[in-house]
Amino acid sequence: MEQAQGVNVGLLGLGTVGSGVIRIINNHQQELQHQTGCSISVSKVLVKDKYKQRDLDTSQMTLTEDAADVLNDEKTDVVIEVMGGITEARDYILQALERKKHVVTANKDLMALHGKELLEQAEANGCCLFYEASVAGGIPVIRGITEGLASDRITQIMGIVNGTTNYILTKMVQEERDYEEVLAEAQELGFAESDPTSDVEGLDAARKIAILARLGFSMNVELDDVELKGITNVTTDDMDYCSQLGYTLKLVGLAKRTEERVELTVQPMLLPNDHPLAAVQNEYNAVYVHGEAVGETMFYGPGAGSMPTATSIVSDLVATVKNIRLGTGSGSASKPLHTKAIQANEEVLSKYFLRLQVKDETGTFDGLTSLFAKEDVGFDKLLQWPLEEEDPMSEVVIITHMTNRAAYERIYQELENMDVVLEVKSSYRVEGGQVS
Amino acid sequence: MEQAQGVNVGLLGLGTVGSGVIRIINNHQQELQHQTGCSISVSKVLVKDKYKQRDLDTSQMTLTEDAADVLNDEKTDVVIEVMGGITEARDYILQALERKKHVVTANKDLMALHGKELLEQAEANGCCLFYEASVAGGIPVIRGITEGLASDRITQIMGIVNGTTNYILTKMVQEERDYEEVLAEAQELGFAESDPTSDVEGLDAARKIAILARLGFSMNVELDDVELKGITNVTTDDMDYCSQLGYTLKLVGLAKRTEERVELTVQPMLLPNDHPLAAVQNEYNAVYVHGEAVGETMFYGPGAGSMPTATSIVSDLVATVKNIRLGTGSGSASKPLHTKAIQANEEVLSKYFLRLQVKDETGTFDGLTSLFAKEDVGFDKLLQWPLEEEDPMSEVVIITHMTNRAAYERIYQELENMDVVLEVKSSYRVEGGQVS
């Protein structure tokens, strides 16, 4: 092997994450050289204002306000994109790849929307495109999945991959406070955006689960393949019932594979209290992976934050530099092995939690049980008790045995039309039992 | 870079783990080639009886009962040791390294006892020596720590790294059954050895924590540096008090670093119920790592089992093959950066749980509080209630504020000599609060 020369890095963006990347590279030269066998330096940095005062030593690098200075520089080997946004970031990354520069990005929105195109472009140019920091900031889950893939077959990925919603749900259950109240507090504390839609409706989690599923199942799934349901309708009453029954309610991104057909969804789900994801609290993230050989593993850590994210980016940079020197080109798993195949409703198997208010009269229960029996869905757990003495009304909470979604949806529709059912208060999937 | 040739692997041992390794290599040729850029095949295998019937396709490899056939084969690039034991395994690995063969081992006893010597031998010969499977079988924690090292500074490692003891403690707390009874059941079920000493006295966990600390702190710590206390005296009463106070009792391997001085211990500890390690149940393992940049991360998974272990070994093999092709030689972190420095008792800071039986008479409490006050140790939590009506006696449970071990040990000794203290029932460290 030829004597390795130094690797030059171009950086797009110099916010808190970009600054963190520079600090790590400056402070860990010896360790980086030890791991990669060559020196790494940041040569050019795209900034919005090159005259801005910064608490950072940039004397060894050129700051520029023109992306072309970074992208056209023949000496740049690797481009790190930490500017965020979609249109420009996509454009710059495509340009970098066309010019045979390897790319590291932390941009989950971009990877979820344009990952296929960008990975194909990287493959076509024999370049790496790494994006560890785009999912669960400080947790090396993409690397864990990629390395696992060499010797295992992943059958299921479940992730708590949105810190904002996990923070809200944790506070709701711990402090028995309503969604709206906790959301407002989270906004004050900076754990939730002023417009929280993308978090609380599950879109942010869906982007991440699409990225993980594409990689873990080696299949070109897209954001549109992820069924979405947010947490805005979750109540503390629901959570109370979950606790009574031994479950914890979490917003989970789920990717399941049966043979070569997959299911992708983000929705609030009940997890048994002893499931490792059930213990993930506050703004923390965790990704649970089931592989045929290794069984259950879980990666836990901070889902965001500038230093965790910068640490992930530098890990990707190390992997990129190793691959440059290995000549293994585009890295791993950019070309999917499997054709996309999404499960039909009849194939999606799950248990369900269902909470109803019913008329407390003779025959109510018989009506309910025969409806479930007709669809061959059994009860795993059942609670019932009276709500009003005068106008007899009961609350019924059911956890079903495993059933397919088509059957459950038929039951659900009939329930809404039944005279004795006053209201279907809530319905959630129950996951994380025996992995089938 | 020259065109990569195939890599030949020699295997020492063909039990369930060795068979798993062969199965994975046979079944994942395409993925392995994709990741490493070259083909991998097992050429020679050391077995005890080469005529034994095996449920495994070994037609493409030579089975031998003579280790020299594997170690002297010039075509062998990598030797995988899965035979276990100390003396022979050490001897064979040293021979392999002398002959410039890279080595992968799953042997924690060997790495804990002779890791320093073996890693130095690997370094001297420019060879890799990887041992991911030696700690927490299926969990890529050594890789996580190694990669983290390139861009972060690890300050604390806490591990539930012994499946047997975690299984026993989980059952004790869940089923309120005594240690002896649960141990007997664990032995029947195969979760505990017929001689469980190495597990229940903490020696197995100590070996693993020594390996992790050596790596994470880049310091040549040894097994003898790990202070040991097992779980044989843990009672369900202790566990009840822990629950009441919001803690879970776990056997934890702890490695802490303050500046460049470290503390290493394995002992039963109280963890707050919301600490991620507190939720690790049954025979599962998890390693919690705190790094200055990334903050808290945790790796969770099966601590043992032949397929998880075989998967880890193949991951090491992939890393080895990459390093062969990179020419980065001995891999990472074999040469410690720091001189060994163990903390003195005065530097070891912790909270403590203490359970006493005291005479229920005037002045008892005053005596206790002034003893703690003398050492400047405050109470974080305190429970007291009467045990006997006739012969007045109380049980007192204390959780202290943070103190140093020297002060705590002085208090403990005085308590044992105090007239009003009938018995010191138990004493545990409390960890996992704010990381200092």
Side-chain angles (χ1 to χ4, degrees):
Chain A
M1 176 175 288
E2 62 188 299
Q3 182 56 38
Q5 297 184 317
V7 164
N8 284 311
V9 175
L11 194 62
L12 302 175
L14 191 55
T16 53
V17 174
S19 304
V21 169
I22 288 179
R23 281 202 186 87
I24 292 173
I25 293 175
N26 286 346
N27 297 340
H28 290 78
Q29 270 301 320
Q30 194 188 346
E31 294 85 350
L32 292 169
Q33 175 128 20
H34 192 56
Q35 286 224 344
T36 61
C38 69
S39 69
I40 296 175
S41 52
V42 177
S43 47
K44 299 222 167 146
V45 186
L46 175 66
V47 295
K48 282 188 190 140
D49 173 6
K50 64 181 180 178
Y51 300 108
K52 184 180 167 185
Q53 283 291 326
R54 294 169 200 278
D55 177 24
L56 187 71
D57 177 12
T58 55
S59 57
Q60 302 300 309
M61 50 201 83
T62 308
L63 303 193
T64 171
E65 294 169 16
D66 181 0
D69 286 343
V70 181
L71 300 171
N72 292 339
D73 185 342
E74 286 190 3
K75 287 188 188 145
T76 302
D77 304 295
V78 184
V79 170
I80 296 178
E81 184 271 308
V82 285
M83 52 190 279
I86 303 278
T87 313
E88 277 186 325
R90 170 176 164 272
D91 183 36
Y92 295 164
I93 290 177
L94 286 173
Q95 284 186 48
L97 293 170
E98 274 164 23
R99 286 159 206 172
K100 314 283 183 202
K101 299 181 193 315
H102 306 276
V103 173
V104 174
T105 176
N107 195 326
K108 68 170 174 299
D109 300 10
L110 182 66
M111 286 307 294
L113 281 175
H114 300 291
K116 180 170 177 283
E117 176 193 18
L118 296 173
L119 288 164
E120 283 172 1
Q121 183 73 267
E123 181 92 29
N125 287 284
C127 291
C128 296
L129 171 57
F130 285 146
Y131 49 97
E132 179 71 75
S134 67
V135 180
I139 319 176
V141 58
I142 289 184
R143 187 145 299 115
I145 290 178
T146 313
E147 296 202 340
L149 280 176
S151 51
D152 201 354
R153 181 176 179 276
I154 291 170
T155 56
Q156 186 166 332
I157 299 169
M158 290 172 82
I160 293 177
V161 285
N162 179 271
T164 303
T165 47
N166 202 49
Y167 176 87
I168 293 172
L169 294 176
T170 304
K171 292 294 166 197
M172 284 177 70
V173 73
Q174 282 178 350
E175 298 167 9
E176 294 184 40
R177 289 160 66 202
D178 285 339
Y179 168 76
E180 294 295 344
E181 192 185 332
V182 176
L183 172 62
E185 187 191 79
Q187 286 171 318
E188 263 175 52
L189 293 171
F191 286 121
E193 310 268 348
S194 55
D195 175 4
T197 315
S198 152
D199 292 320
V200 299
E201 297 294 354
L203 184 61
D204 176 80
R207 289 185 183 123
K208 293 164 180 168
I209 209 72
I211 292 172
L212 292 176
R214 182 192 287 149
L215 189 67
F217 300 156
S218 198
M219 187 183 285
N220 253 331
V221 297
E222 286 163 277
L223 188 53
D224 286 346
D225 299 319
V226 185
E227 192 201 1
L228 266 191
K229 190 173 142 192
I231 64 162
T232 53
N233 295 321
V234 173
T235 65
T236 49
D237 283 349
D238 291 340
M239 290 180 144
D240 278 349
Y241 288 117
C242 291
S243 299
Q244 284 182 48
L245 294 163
Y247 293 90
T248 304
L249 192 70
K250 292 288 187 189
L251 183 70
V252 176
L254 175 72
K256 261 190 189 177
R257 165 155 75 174
T258 322
E259 299 306 320
E260 293 313 329
R261 296 165 75 83
V262 304
E263 190 217 347
L264 304 174
T265 182
V266 170
Q267 51 181 280
M269 290 179 189
L270 275 66
L271 303 173
N273 284 341
D274 61 359
H275 191 280
L277 284 176
V280 177
Q281 305 209 343
N282 298 317
E283 74 280 16
Y284 278 88
N285 279 200
V287 179
Y288 166 99
V289 179
H290 185 268
E292 280 179 353
V294 81
E296 297 179 60
T297 54
M298 190 177 81
F299 303 85
Y300 168 97
S306 55
M307 284 313 285
T309 304
T311 307
S312 268
I313 288 169
V314 176
S315 290
D316 272 355
L317 178 62
V318 167
T320 304
V321 175
K322 283 188 177 181
N323 276 19
I324 291 174
R325 304 199 53 237
L326 272 172
T328 42
S330 60
S332 57
S334 58
K335 216 177 233 170
L337 287 170
H338 306 290
T339 310
K340 186 166 86 174
I342 306 290
Q343 291 181 355
N345 268 0
E346 287 72 17
E347 296 172 278
V348 174
L349 300 181
S350 183
K351 294 171 159 193
Y352 289 88
F353 165 101
L354 186 63
R355 182 175 148 223
L356 311 169
Q357 286 181 356
V358 298
K359 286 184 198 162
D360 208 352
E361 58 184 40
T362 324
T364 295
F365 223 76
D366 192 41
L368 284 180
T369 49
S370 57
L371 169 58
F372 280 80
K374 195 177 69 182
E375 293 289 353
D376 204 18
V377 176
F379 295 161
D380 179 32
K381 288 179 177 168
L382 194 141
L383 300 177
Q384 182 193 13
W385 59 101
L387 286 178
E388 303 275 350
E389 287 293 329
E390 308 90 63
D391 186 11
M393 186 171 106
S394 279
E395 186 135 286
V396 175
V397 173
I398 294 165
I399 291 185
T400 69
H401 282 304
M402 198 71 89
T403 177
N404 72 72
R405 188 164 66 187
Y408 182 75
E409 285 181 357
R410 285 192 296 270
I411 291 173
Y412 190 94
Q413 289 219 318
E414 284 212 39
L415 284 171
E416 290 204 311
N417 297 326
M418 273 173 86
D419 274 349
V420 295
V421 175
L422 300 167
E423 191 182 351
V424 180
K425 297 289 283 186
S426 53
S427 164
Y428 302 106
R429 276 173 68 160
V430 180
E431 289 288 336
Q434 280 303 100
V435 175
S436 55
Chain B
M1 175 176 285
E2 63 187 300
Q3 181 55 40
Q5 297 184 318
V7 164
N8 283 312
V9 175
L11 193 63
L12 302 174
L14 192 54
T16 53
V17 175
S19 304
V21 169
I22 288 179
R23 281 202 185 90
I24 292 174
I25 293 176
N26 286 347
N27 297 340
H28 290 79
Q29 271 301 321
Q30 195 188 346
E31 294 85 351
L32 292 169
Q33 175 126 20
H34 192 54
Q35 287 224 343
T36 60
C38 70
S39 68
I40 296 175
S41 52
V42 177
S43 47
K44 299 223 166 145
V45 186
L46 174 67
V47 294
K48 282 187 190 140
D49 172 6
K50 65 181 182 178
Y51 300 108
K52 184 180 166 185
Q53 282 291 325
R54 294 170 201 279
D55 177 24
L56 186 72
D57 178 12
T58 54
S59 57
Q60 302 301 309
M61 50 201 85
T62 308
L63 303 194
T64 172
E65 294 168 17
D66 181 0
D69 286 343
V70 181
L71 301 171
N72 292 338
D73 186 341
E74 286 188 7
K75 287 189 188 144
T76 301
D77 304 294
V78 184
V79 170
I80 296 178
E81 184 270 308
V82 284
M83 50 191 280
I86 303 278
T87 314
E88 276 187 327
R90 170 175 163 274
D91 182 38
Y92 295 164
I93 289 178
L94 286 172
Q95 285 186 47
L97 293 170
E98 274 164 24
R99 286 160 205 170
K100 313 284 182 200
K101 300 181 193 313
H102 306 277
V103 172
V104 175
T105 175
N107 195 325
K108 69 171 173 297
D109 300 10
L110 182 66
M111 286 308 295
L113 282 174
H114 300 290
K116 180 170 177 285
E117 174 193 20
L118 296 173
L119 287 164
E120 283 173 0
Q121 182 74 264
E123 181 92 28
N125 287 284
C127 291
C128 296
L129 170 58
F130 286 145
Y131 49 97
E132 179 71 78
S134 67
V135 179
I139 318 177
V141 59
I142 290 184
R143 187 144 298 116
I145 289 178
T146 313
E147 297 202 340
L149 280 177
S151 52
D152 201 355
R153 180 174 179 278
I154 292 171
T155 56
Q156 187 168 331
I157 300 170
M158 290 172 82
I160 294 177
V161 285
N162 180 271
T164 303
T165 48
N166 202 48
Y167 176 88
I168 292 173
L169 294 176
T170 304
K171 292 292 166 198
M172 282 176 70
V173 73
Q174 282 179 349
E175 298 167 10
E176 294 183 41
R177 289 158 66 201
D178 286 339
Y179 168 77
E180 294 296 345
E181 193 185 330
V182 176
L183 171 62
E185 187 192 80
Q187 287 171 318
E188 262 175 50
L189 292 172
F191 285 120
E193 310 269 347
S194 55
D195 175 4
T197 314
S198 153
D199 292 319
V200 299
E201 297 293 355
L203 184 61
D204 176 80
R207 288 183 183 126
K208 293 165 181 167
I209 208 72
I211 292 171
L212 292 176
R214 183 191 287 151
L215 189 67
F217 298 157
S218 199
M219 187 183 284
N220 252 332
V221 297
E222 287 163 278
L223 187 54
D224 286 346
D225 299 319
V226 186
E227 192 202 358
L228 265 191
K229 189 174 142 192
I231 63 162
T232 52
N233 295 321
V234 172
T235 65
T236 48
D237 283 350
D238 292 338
M239 290 180 145
D240 278 348
Y241 288 117
C242 292
S243 300
Q244 283 180 47
L245 294 164
Y247 293 91
T248 304
L249 193 72
K250 292 288 187 189
L251 183 69
V252 175
L254 174 72
K256 262 191 190 176
R257 165 156 75 173
T258 322
E259 300 305 320
E260 294 312 331
R261 297 165 73 83
V262 305
E263 191 218 347
L264 304 173
T265 182
V266 170
Q267 52 182 279
M269 289 179 191
L270 274 66
L271 303 174
N273 284 342
D274 61 0
H275 191 280
L277 284 176
V280 177
Q281 306 210 344
N282 298 316
E283 74 279 17
Y284 277 88
N285 281 202
V287 179
Y288 166 98
V289 179
H290 185 269
E292 279 179 354
V294 80
E296 298 180 59
T297 53
M298 190 177 83
F299 303 85
Y300 167 98
S306 56
M307 284 314 285
T309 304
T311 306
S312 268
I313 288 169
V314 176
S315 289
D316 272 354
L317 178 62
V318 167
T320 305
V321 174
K322 283 187 177 182
N323 277 18
I324 291 174
R325 301 200 53 237
L326 273 172
T328 43
S330 59
S332 56
S334 57
K335 216 178 235 169
L337 287 170
H338 306 290
T339 310
K340 186 166 86 175
I342 306 289
Q343 291 180 354
N345 268 0
E346 287 73 18
E347 297 171 278
V348 174
L349 301 181
S350 183
K351 295 171 157 194
Y352 289 88
F353 166 102
L354 185 63
R355 183 175 149 224
L356 313 168
Q357 284 180 357
V358 298
K359 285 185 199 162
D360 207 351
E361 59 185 37
T362 324
T364 295
F365 223 76
D366 192 42
L368 284 181
T369 48
S370 56
L371 169 59
F372 280 80
K374 195 176 68 182
E375 294 288 355
D376 203 20
V377 176
F379 295 161
D380 179 31
K381 289 180 178 168
L382 195 141
L383 300 176
Q384 181 195 13
W385 59 100
L387 285 178
E388 302 276 349
E389 288 292 329
E390 308 91 62
D391 186 11
M393 183 170 108
S394 279
E395 186 133 284
V396 175
V397 173
I398 294 166
I399 290 185
T400 70
H401 281 306
M402 198 71 88
T403 177
N404 72 72
R405 189 163 64 187
Y408 182 76
E409 285 181 355
R410 286 192 296 270
I411 291 174
Y412 190 94
Q413 289 218 318
E414 285 211 38
L415 284 171
E416 290 203 312
N417 298 326
M418 274 172 86
D419 273 349
V420 295
V421 175
L422 300 167
E423 192 181 351
V424 180
K425 297 291 282 187
S426 52
S427 164
Y428 301 105
R429 276 173 68 160
V430 180
E431 289 288 337
Q434 280 305 100
V435 174
S436 55

